[in-house]
């Protein structure tokens, strides 16, 4: 994986990158180019993939992306005793992080992340996209009371126009959150550029970058409507 300081530095479709702990001035982008991830992304894109397999693949990809998104979590050393001898060994340090799902498709992505992070707190932001303006409209916001004290990872399978992601991050910053990351399955280049311009301090992790959007704001080639494909409502 290679360092990418901005979307413009990434390769056209499926670039790769590494993400520092908490980016400061320059935007941080990591596109996970692991063969297993890219194989599963191809399968999840296919229109022939059934609902149950689509759901399973999204869960598996989210687990693999979580591994990379949490690479820089703080650690501390504690004393334990193995069946053989005592030792000093590392464990996660500080308050557990919070995963924030952008409803509804975010929940399908959230499930796999919770498999790896069962102690994480969970928040939800309900946003729907106005079909005319493509602007997000909030209808639900529920977070842990101490959200501002936690590292927050916002999750949504698709970063299309970037409007929903920007609105979600705006809302979280208004709630006092300062440590933020954003994880998605597929991002459009226009959406990435908009998100990085609005929130240059937020690190982004994705599995693929697609070049454009269609007139309805869907990623091309993308994978269709992630929520419909997750829940069999297409």
């Amino acid at each position: 994986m290679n360092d990418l300081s901005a979307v413009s530095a990434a390769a056209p479709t499926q670039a790769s990158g590494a993400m520092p702990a908490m980016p400061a001035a320059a935007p941080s982008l990591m596109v996970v180019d692991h063969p297993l991830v890219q194989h599963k992304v191809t399968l999840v894109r296919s229109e022939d993939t059934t609902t149950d397999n689509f759901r399973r693949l999204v869960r598996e990809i989210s687990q693999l992306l979580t591994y990379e998104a949490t690479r820089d979590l703080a650690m501390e050393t504690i004393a334990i005793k193995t069946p053989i001898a005592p030792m000093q060994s590392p464990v996660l340090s500080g308050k557990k992080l919070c995963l924030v799902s952008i409803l509804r498709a975010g929940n399908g992505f959230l499930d796999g992340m919770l498999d790896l992070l069962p102690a994480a707190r969970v928040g939800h932001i309900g946003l729907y996209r106005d079909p005319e303006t493509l602007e997000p409209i909030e209808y639900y916001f529920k977070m842990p009371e101490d959200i501002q004290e936690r590292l927050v990872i916002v999750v949504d399978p698709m970063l299309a126009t970037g409007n929903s992601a920007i609105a979600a991050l705006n809302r979280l910053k208004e709630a006092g959150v300062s440590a933020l990351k954003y994880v998605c399955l597929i991002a459009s280049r226009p959406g990435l550029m908009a998100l990085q311009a609005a929130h240059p301090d937020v690190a982004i992790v994705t599995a693929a970058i697609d070049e454009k959007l269609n007139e309805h704001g869907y990623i091309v080639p993308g994978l269709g409507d992630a929520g419909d494909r997750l829940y069999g409502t297409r």
Side-chain angles (χ1 to χ4, degrees):
M1 296 182 188
N2 303 312
D3 288 331
L4 299 178
S5 60
V7 173
S8 58
T13 328
Q14 298 192 0
S16 61
M19 180 181 62
M22 290 306 299
S28 177
L29 169 66
M30 175 167 54
V31 184
V32 181
D33 62 351
H34 191 285
L36 283 177
V37 173
Q38 297 308 314
H39 172 77
K40 292 176 187 295
V41 169
T42 296
L43 296 178
V44 85
R45 286 184 188 271
S46 174
E47 66 177 1
D48 296 327
T49 299
T50 60
T51 298
D52 57 334
N53 284 329
F54 185 92
R55 192 178 296 137
R56 174 183 56 80
L57 286 162
V58 168
R59 189 184 193 110
E60 291 172 353
I61 294 167
S62 72
Q63 292 174 336
L64 294 167
L65 297 185
T66 300
Y67 177 81
E68 296 298 341
T70 57
R71 181 178 289 277
D72 58 348
L73 291 181
M75 304 289 291
E76 64 179 295
T77 301
I78 63 170
I80 65 169
K81 190 176 187 299
T82 77
I84 306 300
M87 67 172 292
Q88 298 289 316
S89 194
V91 294
L92 293 174
S93 177
K95 282 207 169 188
K96 301 298 187 291
L97 53 77
C98 180
L99 305 175
V100 173
S101 167
I102 299 179
L103 300 174
R104 66 180 165 145
N107 279 2
F109 212 58
L110 178 69
D111 291 342
M113 299 180 79
L114 285 172
D115 287 342
L116 295 185
L117 302 166
R121 301 295 188 267
V122 176
H124 294 90
I125 299 179
L127 297 166
Y128 70 90
R129 187 167 61 176
D130 185 290
E132 299 298 326
T133 66
L134 303 184
E135 291 298 316
I137 299 173
E138 182 184 311
Y139 64 89
Y140 187 75
F141 185 83
K142 184 70 172 179
M143 299 293 148
E145 290 184 356
D146 59 352
I147 185 72
Q148 68 279 356
E149 300 174 21
R150 299 177 182 273
L151 167 62
V152 173
I153 301 178
V154 179
V155 301
D156 196 7
M158 310 299 284
L159 177 63
T161 64
N163 292 339
S164 293
I166 291 168
L169 292 168
N170 286 344
R171 192 73 163 82
L172 288 164
K173 286 184 176 180
E174 290 170 4
V177 179
S178 58
L180 283 156
K181 295 184 180 183
Y182 181 87
V183 179
C184 65
L185 197 160
I186 298 176
S188 77
R189 192 169 298 278
L192 278 172
M193 293 176 68
L195 180 55
Q196 288 186 315
H199 295 284
D201 58 322
V202 175
I204 302 166
V205 179
T206 187
I209 302 172
D210 288 356
E211 287 300 312
K212 60 183 180 179
L213 303 169
N214 65 17
E215 64 275 15
H216 303 294
Y218 282 92
I219 300 174
V220 180
L223 52 74
D225 187 298
D228 284 346
R229 296 193 66 185
L230 277 165
Y231 302 115
T233 54
R234 58 172 173 165

